[in-house]
Amino acid sequence: MNIRELDSAVHSHTRAIPVYRGLTGVGRPTTLDGKILRESFRYKGNWIWYTVQDGRAFYMVQPLDN
């Protein structure tokens, strides 16, 4: 899975411009600039955590153990 594929999934889900912020571990993630990612959806064995602000969807990927 690459960033372009993730961007497409986030855009389809949120209709906002996707902004990738990296990988995250356990729990509700926070980006380095302090954005708390409160919403999520499951995509290809991962949780995609995101928040939409000013027309942009800031998101992080949390891989799930299978």
Side-chain angles (χ1 to χ4, degrees), residues 6-34:
L6 290 169
D7 281 353
S8 178
V10 170
H11 178 71
S12 294
H13 191 81
T14 64
R15 298 294 183 223
I17 298 167
V19 180
Y20 178 73
R21 292 294 190 196
L23 296 174
T24 185
V26 177
R28 190 170 285 172
T30 304
T31 63
L32 291 175
D33 55 352

Side-chain angles (χ1 to χ4, degrees), residues 33-65:
D33 55 352
K35 290 176 180 42
I36 298 171
L37 307 180
R38 301 180 188 278
E39 300 179 69
S40 65
F41 64 95
R42 194 167 180 160
Y43 179 74
K44 291 191 177 182
N46 299 291
W47 278 112
I48 307 295
W49 289 89
Y50 70 94
T51 190
V52 177
Q53 189 176 46
D54 298 325
R56 294 181 288 169
F58 298 94
Y59 75 96
M60 295 179 86
V61 178
Q62 180 182 14
L64 299 175
D65 294 333

